[in-house]
Amino acid sequence: MTPMTSHLRNEIAMHGPLTVAAYMAAAMGHPEHGYYINRDPLGMTGDFVTSPEVSQMFGELIGLWCVAGWHQMGSPDTVRLVEMGPGRGTLMADALRAMTTAPECRAALDVHLVETSPTLSALQRKALDGISVAWHDALAEVPEGPLLLVTNELYDVLPIHQFIRTLQGWRERLVDTQSQGGFRFVLADQPTPALALLPDSLDGAPINSFAEMSAAAISLTHDIARRLVDHGGLALIIDYASDQGPLGDTFQAVRDHGNHHVLDDPGEADLSARVDFTTVARVARDGGAEVYGPVSQGEFLLALGIEARAAKLATGASAGQRQDIETALGRLIGSGEMGSLFKVLAIAAPGAPAPAGFEAAP
Ligand code: SAH
């Protein structure tokens, strides 16, 4: 039995079945045995590949998006450039390199990374060697001030609660132990506190429907919106999106680039859920911020000029490199690939104009 499995079995023995959110939070973030704590899960040798790891074009275009945002903010002397969940630091390294083409903007940036994994922070330090950067465990530790915040594939790892519609109304799905070892799902027979997260609009959902709500995503979005309302700026949230709002069972485990059962080998597989952008947008608007999108990642990158960037990179490249650029472009913008599965949402200070890439968004 792994240390994570015995930790979870002890928790359940002491306190009863865990919420899916508590199970996910422990499996991913337990300070000793959590999935992200001791490993680099990214890239071909890891469990999954993210957009910044597919091509430098992704981070570069986000860097240019930040430059445009800084101009829209009235070119403040200091702006907090914050990335949450920066992985290997690739996006930030590519973005900052692209931003050297705008030296006044670059000079205004105060760079902050929010990261909970010591293994990944060490890789970020390497990727950003020679650049002044501050690291934090939580957004609350980043000093207040005008903000440019970007985050790719962080929201999908924030713990979710799961619910199933029964004849008695919504009930929370819980994780219990199996007598022969391992874990199984059970249904709470009484209402649990997390039911308060469900919006009234789900009251009419058919019996046996699933729903998911992330208290962590709600609270993070609330903090981001509050900072934008108080100090100005923009936030860009990019993630694997749910297409049914909070409805559906999107809880998944990925290990070694393939699907894994969510209750098998906790701490050894990446657990995630598709992001419900309707709730993120609602919370940001309720907090007084302006919301743009979501638009598909493909639309967003095309609007930022990814095709011109790819053509520029291809100039002077070998035939093999040109093929690699073409393949990367297809993955980032293609439909049925990251281009349509991922969505991009911008949150802005009230009254701000549409950020770059969202001019055509509703
Ligand atoms: N953005 C990167 C990495 C995505 S993987 C990329 O696109 O390649 C998720 C990242 O979020 C990892 O760096 C992980 O360690 C970090 N992370 C997980 N939970 C977090 C939390 N609560 N706060 C900040 N970072 C977190």
Coordinates of all heavy atoms in Angstrom, one line a residue, residues 125-202:
R125 N 12.8 28.2 -11.5 CA 14.0 29.0 -11.2 C 15.0 28.8 -12.3 O 15.7 29.8 -12.7 CB 14.6 28.5 -9.8 CG 14.0 29.3 -8.6 CD 14.5 28.7 -7.3 NE 13.4 28.6 -6.4 CZ 12.8 29.5 -5.7 NH1 13.4 30.7 -5.8 NH2 11.8 29.3 -5.0
K126 N 15.1 27.6 -12.8 CA 16.1 27.3 -13.8 C 15.7 28.0 -15.1 O 16.5 28.7 -15.8 CB 16.1 25.8 -14.1 CG 17.5 25.2 -13.8 CD 17.5 23.8 -14.4 CE 18.0 22.8 -13.3 NZ 17.8 21.4 -13.7
A127 N 14.4 27.9 -15.5 CA 13.9 28.5 -16.7 C 14.0 30.0 -16.7 O 14.1 30.6 -17.8 CB 12.4 28.0 -17.0
L128 N 13.9 30.6 -15.5 CA 13.9 32.1 -15.4 C 15.2 32.6 -14.8 O 15.2 33.7 -14.2 CB 12.7 32.5 -14.6 CG 11.3 32.1 -15.3 CD1 10.2 32.2 -14.3 CD2 11.1 33.0 -16.5
D129 N 16.2 31.8 -14.9 CA 17.5 32.2 -14.4 C 17.9 33.6 -14.8 O 17.8 33.9 -16.0 CB 18.6 31.2 -14.9 CG 19.9 31.3 -14.1 OD1 19.8 31.8 -13.0 OD2 20.9 31.1 -14.7
G130 N 18.3 34.4 -13.9 CA 18.8 35.8 -14.2 C 17.7 36.8 -14.2 O 17.9 38.0 -14.4
I131 N 16.4 36.4 -14.1 CA 15.3 37.3 -14.1 C 14.8 37.5 -12.7 O 14.7 36.5 -11.9 CB 14.2 36.7 -15.0 CG1 14.7 36.6 -16.4 CG2 12.9 37.6 -15.0 CD1 13.8 35.9 -17.4
S132 N 14.4 38.7 -12.3 CA 13.9 38.9 -10.9 C 12.5 38.4 -10.8 O 11.6 39.0 -11.5 CB 14.0 40.4 -10.6 OG 13.3 40.8 -9.5
V133 N 12.3 37.4 -10.0 CA 10.9 36.8 -9.8 C 10.7 36.5 -8.3 O 11.6 36.1 -7.6 CB 10.9 35.5 -10.6 CG1 9.5 34.8 -10.4 CG2 11.2 35.6 -12.1
A134 N 9.5 36.7 -7.9 CA 9.1 36.3 -6.5 C 8.1 35.1 -6.5 O 7.3 35.1 -7.4 CB 8.4 37.5 -5.8
W135 N 8.4 34.1 -5.6 CA 7.5 33.0 -5.6 C 6.6 33.0 -4.4 O 7.0 33.5 -3.3 CB 8.3 31.7 -5.5 CG 8.7 31.1 -6.8 CD1 8.1 30.2 -7.6 CD2 9.9 31.5 -7.6 NE1 8.7 30.0 -8.8 CE2 9.9 30.8 -8.8 CE3 10.9 32.4 -7.4 CZ2 10.8 30.9 -9.8 CZ3 11.9 32.5 -8.4 CH2 11.8 31.8 -9.5
H136 N 5.3 32.5 -4.6 CA 4.4 32.5 -3.5 C 3.6 31.2 -3.5 O 3.4 30.6 -4.5 CB 3.3 33.6 -3.6 CG 4.0 35.0 -3.9 ND1 4.4 35.8 -2.8 CD2 4.3 35.6 -5.0 CE1 5.0 36.9 -3.4 NE2 4.9 36.8 -4.7
D137 N 3.0 30.8 -2.3 CA 2.1 29.7 -2.2 C 0.7 30.0 -2.6 O -0.1 29.1 -2.9 CB 2.1 29.1 -0.8 CG 3.4 28.4 -0.5 OD1 4.0 27.9 -1.4 OD2 3.7 28.3 0.7
A138 N 0.3 31.3 -2.5 CA -1.1 31.6 -2.8 C -1.2 33.0 -3.3 O -0.3 33.9 -3.0 CB -1.9 31.5 -1.5
L139 N -2.2 33.3 -4.1 CA -2.4 34.7 -4.7 C -2.5 35.7 -3.5 O -2.0 36.9 -3.7 CB -3.7 34.7 -5.5 CG -4.0 36.0 -6.2 CD1 -2.9 36.5 -7.1 CD2 -5.4 36.0 -6.9
A140 N -3.0 35.4 -2.4 CA -3.2 36.3 -1.3 C -1.8 36.9 -0.9 O -1.8 38.0 -0.3 CB -3.8 35.6 -0.1
E141 N -0.7 36.2 -1.2 CA 0.6 36.7 -0.8 C 1.2 37.7 -1.8 O 2.2 38.4 -1.5 CB 1.6 35.5 -0.7 CG 1.3 34.6 0.4 CD 2.1 33.3 0.3 OE1 3.1 33.2 -0.5 OE2 1.7 32.3 0.9
V142 N 0.6 37.8 -3.0 CA 1.1 38.7 -4.0 C 0.7 40.1 -3.6 O -0.5 40.3 -3.3 CB 0.6 38.4 -5.4 CG1 1.0 39.4 -6.4 CG2 1.0 37.0 -5.8
P143 N 1.6 41.1 -3.6 CA 1.2 42.5 -3.2 C 0.1 43.0 -4.1 O 0.0 42.7 -5.2 CB 2.5 43.3 -3.3 CG 3.6 42.4 -3.8 CD 3.1 41.0 -3.9
E144 N -0.7 43.9 -3.5 CA -1.8 44.5 -4.2 C -1.2 45.4 -5.3 O -0.1 45.8 -5.2 CB -2.7 45.3 -3.3 CG -3.3 44.5 -2.2 CD -4.6 43.8 -2.7 OE1 -5.3 44.4 -3.5 OE2 -4.9 42.7 -2.2
G145 N -2.0 45.8 -6.3 CA -1.6 46.7 -7.3 C -2.1 46.3 -8.7 O -2.7 45.3 -8.8
P146 N -2.0 47.2 -9.7 CA -2.4 46.8 -11.0 C -1.9 45.5 -11.4 O -0.8 45.1 -11.2 CB -1.8 47.9 -11.9 CG -1.6 49.1 -11.0 CD -1.3 48.5 -9.7
L147 N -2.8 44.7 -12.1 CA -2.5 43.2 -12.2 C -2.6 42.8 -13.7 O -3.6 43.1 -14.4 CB -3.6 42.5 -11.4 CG -3.5 41.0 -11.3 CD1 -2.3 40.5 -10.5 CD2 -4.8 40.5 -10.5
L148 N -1.7 42.0 -14.1 CA -1.8 41.2 -15.3 C -1.6 39.7 -14.9 O -0.5 39.4 -14.5 CB -0.8 41.5 -16.3 CG -1.0 42.8 -17.2 CD1 0.3 43.2 -17.9 CD2 -2.1 42.6 -18.1
L149 N -2.7 38.9 -14.9 CA -2.6 37.6 -14.3 C -2.9 36.6 -15.4 O -3.8 36.8 -16.2 CB -3.6 37.4 -13.2 CG -3.6 36.0 -12.5 CD1 -3.9 36.2 -11.0 CD2 -4.6 35.1 -13.1
V150 N -2.0 35.6 -15.6 CA -2.3 34.5 -16.6 C -2.2 33.2 -15.9 O -1.5 33.0 -15.0 CB -1.3 34.6 -17.8 CG1 -1.4 35.9 -18.5 CG2 0.1 34.3 -17.4
T151 N -3.1 32.3 -16.4 CA -3.0 30.9 -15.8 C -3.5 29.9 -16.8 O -4.5 30.1 -17.5 CB -3.8 30.9 -14.5 OG1 -3.6 29.6 -13.9 CG2 -5.2 31.2 -14.6
N152 N -2.7 28.9 -17.1 CA -3.0 27.8 -18.0 C -3.0 26.5 -17.3 O -2.0 26.1 -16.6 CB -2.0 27.8 -19.1 CG -2.3 26.8 -20.2 OD1 -3.4 26.8 -20.8 ND2 -1.5 25.8 -20.4
E153 N -4.2 25.8 -17.4 CA -4.3 24.5 -16.7 C -4.0 24.5 -15.2 O -3.3 23.6 -14.7 CB -3.4 23.4 -17.4 CG -3.9 23.1 -18.8 CD -3.6 21.7 -19.2 OE1 -3.9 20.8 -18.4 OE2 -3.2 21.4 -20.3
L154 N -4.4 25.5 -14.5 CA -4.5 25.5 -13.1 C -5.9 25.2 -12.6 O -6.1 24.3 -11.7 CB -4.0 26.8 -12.5 CG -4.3 26.9 -11.0 CD1 -3.4 26.1 -10.2 CD2 -4.4 28.3 -10.5
Y155 N -6.9 25.9 -13.2 CA -8.2 25.7 -12.7 C -8.7 24.3 -12.8 O -9.5 23.8 -11.9 CB -9.2 26.6 -13.5 CG -9.5 28.0 -12.9 CD1 -8.5 29.0 -12.9 CD2 -10.7 28.3 -12.3 CE1 -8.7 30.2 -12.4 CE2 -10.9 29.5 -11.8 CZ -9.9 30.5 -11.8 OH -10.2 31.7 -11.2
D156 N -8.2 23.5 -13.7 CA -8.7 22.1 -13.9 C -8.2 21.2 -12.8 O -8.7 20.1 -12.6 CB -8.4 21.5 -15.3 CG -7.0 21.3 -15.6 OD1 -6.1 21.9 -14.9 OD2 -6.7 20.6 -16.5
V157 N -7.2 21.6 -12.0 CA -6.7 20.8 -10.9 C -7.3 21.3 -9.6 O -7.0 20.7 -8.5 CB -5.1 20.7 -10.8 CG1 -4.6 20.1 -12.1 CG2 -4.5 22.0 -10.5
L158 N -8.0 22.4 -9.6 CA -8.6 22.8 -8.3 C -9.7 21.8 -7.9 O -10.5 21.4 -8.8 CB -9.2 24.2 -8.5 CG -8.1 25.3 -8.8 CD1 -8.8 26.7 -9.0 CD2 -7.1 25.4 -7.7
P159 N -9.7 21.4 -6.7 CA -10.7 20.4 -6.2 C -12.1 20.7 -6.5 O -12.6 21.8 -6.3 CB -10.4 20.3 -4.7 CG -9.1 20.8 -4.5 CD -8.9 21.9 -5.6
I160 N -12.9 19.7 -7.0 CA -14.3 19.8 -7.2 C -15.1 19.0 -6.2 O -14.6 17.9 -5.8 CB -14.7 19.4 -8.6 CG1 -14.1 18.0 -8.9 CG2 -14.3 20.4 -9.7 CD1 -14.9 17.2 -9.9
H161 N -16.3 19.4 -5.9 CA -17.3 18.6 -5.2 C -18.2 18.0 -6.3 O -18.5 18.7 -7.3 CB -18.2 19.4 -4.3 CG -17.5 19.9 -3.1 ND1 -17.4 19.2 -1.9 CD2 -16.7 21.0 -2.9 CE1 -16.7 19.9 -1.0 NE2 -16.3 21.0 -1.6
Q162 N -18.6 16.7 -6.2 CA -19.5 16.1 -7.1 C -20.8 15.8 -6.5 O -20.9 15.5 -5.3 CB -18.9 14.8 -7.7 CG -17.9 15.0 -8.8 CD -17.6 13.8 -9.6 OE1 -17.5 12.7 -9.0 NE2 -17.5 13.9 -10.9
F163 N -21.9 15.9 -7.3 CA -23.3 15.7 -6.8 C -24.1 14.9 -7.7 O -23.8 15.0 -9.0 CB -24.0 17.1 -6.6 CG -23.2 18.1 -5.8 CD1 -22.4 19.0 -6.5 CD2 -23.3 18.1 -4.4 CE1 -21.6 19.9 -5.7 CE2 -22.5 19.1 -3.7 CZ -21.7 19.9 -4.4
I164 N -25.0 14.1 -7.2 CA -25.9 13.3 -8.1 C -27.3 13.7 -7.7 O -27.6 13.8 -6.5 CB -25.6 11.8 -7.9 CG1 -24.2 11.5 -8.4 CG2 -26.6 11.0 -8.8 CD1 -23.7 10.1 -8.2
R165 N -28.2 13.9 -8.7 CA -29.6 14.2 -8.4 C -30.4 12.9 -8.1 O -30.3 12.0 -8.8 CB -30.2 14.8 -9.7 CG -31.6 15.3 -9.6 CD -31.6 16.6 -8.9 NE -33.0 17.0 -8.7 CZ -33.4 18.1 -8.0 NH1 -32.5 18.8 -7.5 NH2 -34.6 18.4 -7.9
T166 N -31.0 12.9 -6.9 CA -31.8 11.8 -6.5 C -33.2 12.2 -6.3 O -33.5 13.4 -6.5 CB -31.3 11.3 -5.1 OG1 -31.6 12.2 -4.1 CG2 -29.8 11.1 -5.0
L167 N -34.1 11.2 -6.0 CA -35.5 11.6 -5.7 C -35.6 12.5 -4.6 O -36.6 13.3 -4.5 CB -36.3 10.3 -5.5 CG -36.5 9.4 -6.7 CD1 -37.1 8.1 -6.3 CD2 -37.5 10.1 -7.7
Q168 N -34.7 12.5 -3.7 CA -34.7 13.5 -2.5 C -34.0 14.8 -2.8 O -33.8 15.6 -1.9 CB -34.0 12.9 -1.3 CG -34.7 11.7 -0.6 CD -34.6 10.4 -1.4 OE1 -33.6 10.1 -2.0 NE2 -35.8 9.7 -1.6
G169 N -33.6 15.0 -4.1 CA -32.9 16.2 -4.4 C -31.4 15.9 -4.6 O -31.0 14.7 -4.7
W170 N -30.5 16.9 -4.7 CA -29.1 16.7 -4.9 C -28.5 16.1 -3.7 O -28.8 16.5 -2.6 CB -28.4 18.0 -5.2 CG -28.7 18.5 -6.6 CD1 -29.6 19.5 -6.9 CD2 -28.2 18.1 -7.9 NE1 -29.6 19.7 -8.3 CE2 -28.8 18.9 -8.9 CE3 -27.2 17.1 -8.2 CZ2 -28.4 18.7 -10.2 CZ3 -26.9 16.9 -9.6 CH2 -27.5 17.7 -10.5
R171 N -27.6 15.1 -3.9 CA -26.8 14.5 -2.8 C -25.3 14.5 -3.2 O -25.0 14.3 -4.4 CB -27.2 13.1 -2.5 CG -28.6 13.1 -1.7 CD -28.5 13.6 -0.3 NE -29.7 13.5 0.4 CZ -30.7 14.5 0.4 NH1 -30.5 15.6 -0.2 NH2 -31.8 14.3 1.1
E172 N -24.4 14.7 -2.3 CA -23.0 14.7 -2.6 C -22.4 13.3 -2.8 O -22.8 12.4 -2.0 CB -22.2 15.5 -1.5 CG -20.8 15.7 -1.9 CD -20.1 16.8 -1.1 OE1 -20.6 17.3 -0.1 OE2 -18.9 17.1 -1.5
R173 N -21.5 13.2 -3.8 CA -20.8 11.9 -4.0 C -19.6 11.9 -3.1 O -18.9 12.9 -3.0 CB -20.4 11.9 -5.4 CG -20.0 10.5 -5.9 CD -19.5 10.7 -7.4 NE -19.6 9.4 -8.1 CZ -18.9 9.2 -9.2 NH1 -18.1 10.1 -9.7 NH2 -19.0 8.0 -9.8
L174 N -19.4 10.8 -2.4 CA -18.2 10.7 -1.4 C -17.3 9.5 -1.8 O -17.7 8.6 -2.5 CB -18.8 10.5 0.0 CG -19.8 11.6 0.5 CD1 -20.4 11.2 1.8 CD2 -19.1 13.0 0.6
V175 N -16.1 9.5 -1.2 CA -15.2 8.5 -1.5 C -15.0 7.7 -0.1 O -14.7 8.2 0.9 CB -13.8 9.0 -1.9 CG1 -12.8 7.9 -2.0 CG2 -14.0 9.8 -3.2
D176 N -15.3 6.4 -0.2 CA -15.2 5.5 0.9 C -14.2 4.4 0.6 O -13.8 4.2 -0.5 CB -16.6 4.9 1.2 CG -16.7 4.4 2.7 OD1 -15.7 4.4 3.4 OD2 -17.8 4.0 3.1
T177 N -13.8 3.7 1.7 CA -12.8 2.5 1.4 C -13.6 1.3 1.0 O -14.8 1.2 1.3 CB -12.1 2.2 2.7 OG1 -13.0 2.2 3.8 CG2 -11.0 3.2 3.0
Q178 N -12.9 0.4 0.3 CA -13.5 -0.9 0.0 C -12.9 -1.9 1.0 O -11.7 -1.8 1.3 CB -13.1 -1.4 -1.4 CG -13.8 -0.6 -2.4 CD -13.6 -1.3 -3.8 OE1 -14.6 -1.7 -4.4 NE2 -12.4 -1.3 -4.2
S179 N -13.7 -2.9 1.5 CA -13.2 -3.8 2.5 C -12.0 -4.6 1.9 O -11.0 -4.9 2.6 CB -14.2 -4.8 3.0 OG -14.9 -5.3 1.9
Q180 N -12.0 -4.9 0.6 CA -10.8 -5.7 0.1 C -9.7 -4.8 -0.4 O -8.8 -5.2 -1.1 CB -11.3 -6.6 -1.1 CG -11.9 -5.9 -2.3 CD -13.4 -5.6 -2.2 OE1 -13.9 -5.2 -1.1 NE2 -14.1 -5.7 -3.3
G181 N -9.7 -3.5 0.1 CA -8.6 -2.6 -0.3 C -9.1 -1.6 -1.4 O -10.1 -1.9 -2.1
G182 N -8.5 -0.5 -1.6 CA -8.9 0.4 -2.6 C -10.1 1.3 -2.1 O -10.4 1.3 -0.9
F183 N -10.6 2.0 -3.0 CA -11.7 3.0 -2.7 C -12.9 2.8 -3.6 O -12.8 2.3 -4.7 CB -11.1 4.4 -2.9 CG -9.9 4.7 -2.0 CD1 -8.6 4.5 -2.5 CD2 -10.1 5.1 -0.7 CE1 -7.5 4.8 -1.7 CE2 -9.0 5.3 0.1 CZ -7.7 5.1 -0.4
R184 N -14.0 3.3 -3.2 CA -15.2 3.3 -4.0 C -16.1 4.5 -3.7 O -15.9 5.2 -2.7 CB -16.1 2.0 -3.6 CG -16.6 2.1 -2.2 CD -17.3 0.8 -1.7 NE -17.6 1.0 -0.3 CZ -18.8 1.0 0.2 NH1 -19.8 0.9 -0.6 NH2 -19.0 1.1 1.5
F185 N -16.9 4.9 -4.7 CA -17.8 6.0 -4.5 C -19.1 5.6 -3.7 O -19.6 4.5 -3.9 CB -18.3 6.5 -5.9 CG -17.2 7.3 -6.6 CD1 -16.7 6.9 -7.8 CD2 -16.7 8.5 -6.0 CE1 -15.8 7.6 -8.5 CE2 -15.8 9.2 -6.7 CZ -15.3 8.8 -7.9
V186 N -19.5 6.4 -2.8 CA -20.8 6.3 -2.2 C -21.6 7.6 -2.3 O -21.0 8.6 -2.6 CB -20.7 5.8 -0.7 CG1 -20.0 4.5 -0.6 CG2 -19.9 6.9 0.1
L187 N -22.9 7.6 -1.9 CA -23.7 8.8 -2.0 C -24.0 9.2 -0.5 O -24.4 8.3 0.3 CB -24.9 8.5 -2.8 CG -25.5 9.7 -3.5 CD1 -24.5 10.4 -4.4 CD2 -26.7 9.1 -4.3
A188 N -23.8 10.4 -0.2 CA -24.2 10.9 1.2 C -25.7 10.7 1.3 O -26.5 11.0 0.4 CB -23.8 12.4 1.3
D189 N -26.2 10.1 2.5 CA -27.6 9.9 2.6 C -28.3 11.2 3.2 O -29.5 11.3 3.2 CB -27.9 8.7 3.4 CG -27.2 8.6 4.7 OD1 -26.6 9.6 5.1 OD2 -27.1 7.5 5.3
Q190 N -27.5 12.1 3.6 CA -28.1 13.4 4.2 C -27.5 14.6 3.4 O -26.4 14.4 2.8 CB -27.6 13.6 5.6 CG -28.2 12.5 6.6 CD -29.7 12.6 6.7 OE1 -30.2 13.7 6.7 NE2 -30.3 11.4 6.7
P191 N -28.1 15.7 3.4 CA -27.5 16.9 2.8 C -26.1 17.2 3.4 O -26.0 17.1 4.6 CB -28.5 18.0 3.0 CG -29.8 17.3 3.3 CD -29.5 16.0 3.9
T192 N -25.2 17.6 2.6 CA -23.8 18.0 3.1 C -23.6 19.5 2.9 O -24.3 20.1 2.0 CB -22.7 17.2 2.4 OG1 -23.0 17.2 1.0 CG2 -22.7 15.8 2.9
P193 N -22.7 20.2 3.6 CA -22.5 21.6 3.4 C -22.3 22.1 2.0 O -22.7 23.2 1.6 CB -21.3 21.9 4.3 CG -21.2 20.8 5.3 CD -21.8 19.6 4.6
A194 N -21.6 21.3 1.2 CA -21.2 21.7 -0.2 C -22.4 21.9 -1.1 O -22.3 22.5 -2.1 CB -20.2 20.7 -0.8
L195 N -23.6 21.3 -0.7 CA -24.8 21.5 -1.5 C -25.1 23.0 -1.7 O -25.7 23.4 -2.7 CB -26.0 20.9 -0.8 CG -26.1 19.3 -0.9 CD1 -27.4 18.9 -0.2 CD2 -26.1 18.9 -2.3
A196 N -24.7 23.8 -0.7 CA -24.9 25.3 -0.8 C -24.2 25.9 -2.1 O -24.6 27.0 -2.5 CB -24.4 25.9 0.4
L197 N -23.2 25.2 -2.6 CA -22.5 25.7 -3.8 C -23.4 25.6 -5.1 O -23.2 26.4 -6.1 CB -21.3 24.9 -4.1 CG -20.2 25.0 -3.0 CD1 -19.1 23.9 -3.3 CD2 -19.5 26.4 -3.0
L198 N -24.4 24.7 -5.1 CA -25.1 24.5 -6.3 C -26.1 25.6 -6.6 O -26.9 26.0 -5.8 CB -26.0 23.2 -6.2 CG -25.2 21.9 -6.3 CD1 -26.1 20.7 -5.9 CD2 -24.7 21.7 -7.7
P199 N -26.1 26.1 -7.9 CA -27.0 27.2 -8.2 C -28.5 26.7 -8.3 O -28.7 25.5 -8.7 CB -26.5 27.7 -9.6 CG -25.7 26.6 -10.1 CD -25.2 25.8 -9.0
D200 N -29.4 27.6 -8.0 CA -30.9 27.2 -8.0 C -31.3 26.7 -9.4 O -32.2 25.9 -9.6 CB -31.8 28.4 -7.7 CG -31.5 28.8 -6.3 OD1 -30.9 28.1 -5.5 OD2 -31.9 30.0 -5.9
S201 N -30.6 27.2 -10.5 CA -30.9 26.8 -11.8 C -30.8 25.3 -12.1 O -31.4 24.8 -13.0 CB -30.0 27.5 -12.8 OG -28.7 27.2 -12.6
L202 N -30.1 24.6 -11.2 CA -30.0 23.1 -11.4 C -31.1 22.3 -10.7 O -31.1 21.1 -10.7 CB -28.6 22.6 -10.8 CG -27.4 23.2 -11.5 CD1 -26.1 22.5 -11.0 CD2 -27.5 23.0 -13.0

